[in-house]
Amino acid sequence: MKVVIVESPTKVKTIGKYLGKDYDVYASFGHVRDLAAKDGSVDTEHDFAMRWEVDAKAAKRLNEIANAVKGADRVILATDPDREGEAISWHVYEILKAKKVLKDKRVDRVVFNAVTKDAVAAAMRNPREIDEALVDAYRARRALDYLVGFNLSPVLWRKLPGARSAGRVQSVALRIVCDRELEIEKFVAREYWTILAHLKTLADAPFTARLVGADGKKINRLDVGSGAEADAFKAALDNAKFAVATVESKPQKRHPYPPFTTSTLQQEASRKFGFAPARTMQIAQRLYEGVDVGEGAAGLITYMRTDGVDLAPEAVVAARAVIAKDFGDAYVPAAPRRYTVKAKNAQEAHEAIRPTDQRIRPRDVARRLEPDQAKLYELIWNRTLACQMESAELERTTVDILAEAGKRRLEFRASGQVVRFPGFLALYQEGRDDEDDEDAARLPAMAAGEALTKERIEASQHFTEPPPRYTEATLVKRMEELGIGRPSTYASTLAVLRDRDYVRIEKKRLIPEDKGRLVTSFLEAFFAKYVGYDFTAELEEKLDKISNSEIDWRAVLRDFWVDFSQALGGTKDLRTTQVLDSLNALLGAHIFPVRADGGDPRQCPLCGKGQLSLKLGKFGAFIGCSNYPECRFTRVLSPTGQDSGEGERPGVRALGLDPASGQEVTLRSGRFGDYVQLGEGEKPKRCSLPRGLAPDDVTLEKAVGLLSLPREVARHPTDGEPILAGVGRYGAYVQHAKTYANLGRDDDVLTIGANRAIDLIAAKESGAGSRFGGDSGRALGDHPTLGGAVSVRRGRFGVYVNHGKINATLPRGTNPEAVTLEEALATLAAKASGGPGGRAIGEHPDGGPITLRAGRFGAYVNWGKVNATIPKSTPPESITLAEALELIAEREGRPAKASRAPAKKKSAAKSRKPAAPPKAAARTAPAKKAAAKKAPTKKAAAKKAATNSKRSA
């Protein structure tokens, strides 16, 4: 028997069918282990030894694989054909070797670029060993990411409260977005005018021409800079005579685009369908792993993580045959087209993304695919076929026109083009990020010397525009141009920026949040080298050289760590005032905008004496007055309504007077977001803006409505008690007694009616629907072993999957429409088994492990049934055993003396010893009493641990 190990459960059945009964196929479900999430996992003092930790969710699967391997005579590692796939195979091999189940068994590595019968069979005929160079490149990349993230993030937590993390690639991508925002803010618009002549030929055919010259001088786009100049040209042209000077037609060819790489697929899917890169990769993964289109599951496209643009010879032959059949021989070029990679640092060895069989046309499988899958497959099919089609033949015509106005000679130009032979354009036209329709029009026939009739002269005012903000597609393109990141990292990098609240997306454009700009400014001020574009690209080049066996991976880490550790050391004595001075200087134009009255933008608008400055609080950065505590003026970094004319009160926009009280109603920016306020005083009435209501959309009527909350919406049909609508900590809600139900996306707290409110309360009180709103979600199917429906739903804290009484939250940003039953089952299984047990901190003196865990309302430490929340001002990753014991003791109601000394490190042997479960639960009552006399109290134990920590420090 032969055991085949793949990384995806979707492949198991398909590949098992291809290989037959002599093979057992198992899935690792992606990576099975990673660097332990604790200090020292990359040991810089022992030549970068790496300490790996098996994922809690993978342990059971690995045991099943190990049991199968025991009875097998051959093991075949068949994970994905890239660096990450090689790493997964290596991890699985190392774990099986440690379990001592391999012995003298033959272990082979095979790769296939498509999940088809022929591709899998060919791979099995050509096994090889694990590529150590690729594994070394993976280890170097993972170590670099760990060293940057694990050492730089704590610096951010200490010096820049509210910042969440930094990363080797993530921080550079964030800098790209922030730099563009800075360009936009510094941009000064410039006025210019265009002069267009609306003309007609002798045949009465209309067209337009643009002014390009005057009296022998060329006029460029920005040369006519005022209305007076434009009016002067119009006056001169009122009685001008127009005639064709020259007509020039030139043939042109437009060549097809190369087949898709990961980057270009993400860009084009974003332009044409609005897919985020992560969504594009999710759909492509399904198409690659296999979809049943009538004859069993089979892969429809080749591997989708690549920056190669080459096509296999058999794919080119198939594409040319389909072109000849569907379009005719005229559309087939004389020789097959070959493409080369232009992207900086391209290194992936496999093919471009293409259909596994070009003969499977999109119309043939559309009904078997989900709508988004059908769209993406058609896009890939069209692009692949088009790349082997004949070039388009165009004719570009340029007409120069002379306008004689007395002694003045003014020159106009009209351009257009005609498609003489469509070629590949008959099938495919690439989308554009910024549309430019110049020369797209078709000109009427005319000849040199022909007199033209003037209809009118049009002078249009324009202003130059700043560079556009990045979309996810153009950011991926820019990262590729700079050589930052790799195909497998683009989508995850962008997802991290959104998850960390460093950027937000509005109208498909990436806008940096203040938090993101602060992080970028801090890193540029104190770690400029490590967010530099060239440095990051050079590091990527070194990683590529490692994968080609050109340099040693540990040598790269040594060179990096020498300088990086010195940079880290330079921040140890960094004072908060130094940080604030640097940030105030770098972000001055952003956080202190120019006032409309020309006054000092940093003068406090409340007291008029203090100076505004950036402040750091436990919840992040904000703007405050230097006269604190006498003056308590604060606002968020980006002032609301800074263009509202309220220059003397930045962060405050007057909406009008309250009809009932006559007091002023204002919209303000506070440390915790935007809110409306009634009047002034020590405790004026306030209400936060509900989610979905933008500050620019707040009117006086809406503000008065918000300030009147909570309001009675209806009476409960059973007990007649009022049902109220209001805005709380978690957004808009309806309330009956002690029952609260959050409003849905389409509900408005100001207009929600009685029927809807009663439905929400009834659903919440009956326990039906979702956890927070009565949404029963989308059914995914029945559980294969336990029975019962599995569904995906939206809740207060995001998307989650449900089976019976088990709810398992999905990663932030997950599209509920894209969740499959397989993904839901894996998530539910992890939740049912207890999920990840958190990061082990140490052993409690009374027995039992203490762990750090992520909770719905923040991080907490756990010991048995005791959960103690970690203060928001304390970075969870910095919690020591002594601090955890203090928190647990306080949670038990017995406060311990504060101790911030780090816990004494255990020896390597002790740290590997599994934690013993609490024994107290198994004792009898007499035994408990006896133990109580001997065992120290929790308070004493915490004090003892803190004392030991201080001694060890």
Side-chain angles (χ1 to χ4, degrees), residues 602-790:
R602 296 188 64 170
Q603 182 181 4
C604 178
L606 190 59
C607 69
K609 299 177 182 179
Q611 285 284 300
L612 299 181
S613 176
L614 192 65
K615 306 286 185 181
L616 297 179
K618 63 180 181 179
F619 298 107
F622 63 97
I623 303 299
C625 180
S626 59
N627 279 344
Y628 179 85
E630 287 77 14
C631 177
R632 294 180 176 270
F633 175 83
T634 62
R635 67 166 170 83
V636 294
L637 269 62
S638 298
T640 299
Q642 66 185 51
D643 298 324
S644 63
E646 296 291 337
E648 72 282 1
R649 294 194 296 174
V652 179
R653 175 158 65 95
L655 299 173
L657 299 179
D658 177 32
S661 65
Q663 297 185 78
E664 184 182 41
V665 179
T666 53
L667 173 67
R668 302 175 179 235
S669 288
R671 292 171 61 182
F672 308 108
D674 297 298
Y675 63 94
V676 290
Q677 178 174 311
L678 178 63
E680 298 290 347
E682 288 190 12
K683 292 184 178 181
K685 188 164 187 179
R686 295 171 174 172
C687 181
S688 298
L689 298 192
R691 292 176 187 173
L693 179 59
D696 292 340
D697 296 332
V698 178
T699 62
L700 175 62
E701 183 182 3
K702 288 184 178 180
V704 171
L706 290 172
L707 291 167
S708 67
L709 296 176
R711 68 183 181 89
E712 183 175 322
V713 179
R715 290 278 173 170
H716 197 280
T718 304
D719 58 20
E721 291 298 315
I723 295 177
L724 306 177
V727 177
R729 179 181 178 185
Y730 300 108
Y733 65 87
V734 287
Q735 172 201 0
H736 168 246
K738 294 184 178 180
T739 300
Y740 291 81
N742 278 60
L743 302 191
R745 285 187 176 182
D746 300 326
D747 294 321
D748 186 341
V749 68
L750 298 177
T751 60
I752 187 171
N755 291 338
R756 174 61 174 161
I758 292 171
D759 286 344
L760 289 172
I761 291 294
K764 189 64 181 289
E765 289 177 338
S766 66
S770 71
R771 292 177 288 184
F772 305 107
D775 175 20
S776 59
R778 178 172 67 90
L780 300 175
D782 290 336
H783 199 290
T785 55
L786 303 176
V790 176

Side-chain angles (χ1 to χ4, degrees), residues 487-555:
S488 59
T489 65
Y490 296 141
S492 59
T493 299
L494 268 60
V496 167
L497 295 183
R498 294 194 305 271
D499 292 345
R500 297 286 185 268
D501 293 324
Y502 287 162
V503 300
R504 68 181 187 275
I505 298 179
E506 289 184 6
K507 298 179 181 178
K508 297 186 180 180
R509 299 285 176 174
L510 294 168
I511 303 175
E513 297 281 15
D514 287 330
K515 186 186 298 184
R517 298 190 70 166
L518 281 172
V519 169
T520 297
S521 298
F522 177 85
L523 295 176
E524 285 190 82
F526 302 105
F527 295 91
K529 176 180 178 180
Y530 303 98
V531 289
Y533 301 151
D534 291 340
F535 175 80
T536 308
E538 287 170 5
L539 207 52
E540 293 288 357
E541 287 181 357
K542 291 180 180 179
L543 292 170
D544 294 339
K545 289 181 178 180
I546 294 172
S547 64
N548 294 329
S549 302
E550 295 178 29
I551 53 177
D552 179 63
W553 69 282
R554 284 191 170 91

Side-chain angles (χ1 to χ4, degrees), residues 371-609:
D372 286 350
Q373 291 175 348
K375 287 180 183 178
L376 198 66
Y377 179 71
E378 183 176 16
L379 185 67
I380 295 168
W381 190 91
N382 287 347
R383 177 88 164 214
T384 307
L385 203 68
C387 83
Q388 292 301 318
M389 293 177 74
E390 188 59 87
S391 300
E393 296 178 8
L394 312 172
E395 184 178 82
R396 179 187 170 90
T397 302
T398 303
V399 179
D400 286 327
I401 299 162
L402 180 63
E404 294 183 329
K407 295 182 179 180
R408 301 199 67 179
R409 294 169 61 85
L410 305 173
E411 300 167 18
F412 285 78
R413 179 167 294 161
S415 300
Q417 66 183 24
V418 178
V419 177
R420 296 300 183 190
F421 174 69
F424 77 95
L425 292 176
L427 176 64
Y428 184 82
Q429 175 69 50
E430 186 175 64
R432 296 184 179 184
D433 296 307
D434 299 290
E435 293 295 333
D436 183 3
D437 294 326
E438 189 175 356
D439 302 334
R442 182 170 181 168
L443 292 175
M446 62 189 90
E450 180 178 341
L452 301 171
T453 303
K454 179 196 74 175
E455 286 194 303
R456 72 179 190 278
I457 302 298
E458 178 186 350
S460 302
Q461 183 188 35
H462 308 276
F463 292 92
T464 54
E465 295 183 353
R469 291 187 175 102
Y470 286 104
T471 63
E472 290 186 297
T474 54
L475 180 57
V476 167
K477 183 179 181 180
R478 184 60 178 151
M479 290 172 66
E480 186 180 43
E481 291 170 350
L482 294 171
I484 295 168
R486 280 294 175 263
S488 59
T489 65
Y490 296 141
S492 59
T493 299
L494 268 60
V496 167
L497 295 183
R498 294 194 305 271
D499 292 345
R500 297 286 185 268
D501 293 324
Y502 287 162
V503 300
R504 68 181 187 275
I505 298 179
E506 289 184 6
K507 298 179 181 178
K508 297 186 180 180
R509 299 285 176 174
L510 294 168
I511 303 175
E513 297 281 15
D514 287 330
K515 186 186 298 184
R517 298 190 70 166
L518 281 172
V519 169
T520 297
S521 298
F522 177 85
L523 295 176
E524 285 190 82
F526 302 105
F527 295 91
K529 176 180 178 180
Y530 303 98
V531 289
Y533 301 151
D534 291 340
F535 175 80
T536 308
E538 287 170 5
L539 207 52
E540 293 288 357
E541 287 181 357
K542 291 180 180 179
L543 292 170
D544 294 339
K545 289 181 178 180
I546 294 172
S547 64
N548 294 329
S549 302
E550 295 178 29
I551 53 177
D552 179 63
W553 69 282
R554 284 191 170 91
V556 172
L557 293 179
R558 291 187 204 108
D559 292 343
F560 172 84
W561 182 247
V562 168
D563 294 337
F564 187 61
S565 58
Q566 290 178 356
L568 289 170
T571 64
K572 287 183 177 178
D573 299 326
L574 191 63
R575 295 191 172 200
T576 303
T577 53
Q578 293 175 272
V579 174
L580 292 175
D581 288 344
S582 297
L583 296 180
N584 279 325
L586 289 168
L587 291 173
H590 171 61
I591 58 182
F592 306 117
V594 177
R595 286 172 48 166
D597 60 3
D600 182 4
R602 296 188 64 170
Q603 182 181 4
C604 178
L606 190 59
C607 69
K609 299 177 182 179

Side-chain angles (χ1 to χ4, degrees), residues 56-58 60-61 806 826-837:
K57 294 183 289 186
K60 184 178 179 180
R61 294 192 292 271
I806 299 177
T827 306
L828 288 166
K831 182 65 179 289
S833 63

Side-chain angles (χ1 to χ4, degrees), residues 148-196:
V148 172
F150 211 85
N151 289 284
L152 197 50
S153 294
V155 174
L156 285 175
W157 300 332
R158 292 193 299 269
K159 308 298 182 183
L160 198 66
R164 297 186 60 184
S165 71
R168 187 178 61 86
V169 176
Q170 159 201 328
S171 297
V172 182
L174 178 60
R175 182 190 167 188
I176 295 174
V177 178
C178 293
D179 283 354
R180 175 57 56 88
E181 197 69 17
L182 195 60
E183 287 181 64
I184 294 171
E185 289 174 354
K186 290 182 177 179
F187 179 82
V188 178
R190 181 177 172 183
E191 180 185 10
Y192 70 98
W193 292 72
T194 57
I195 312 296
L196 291 179

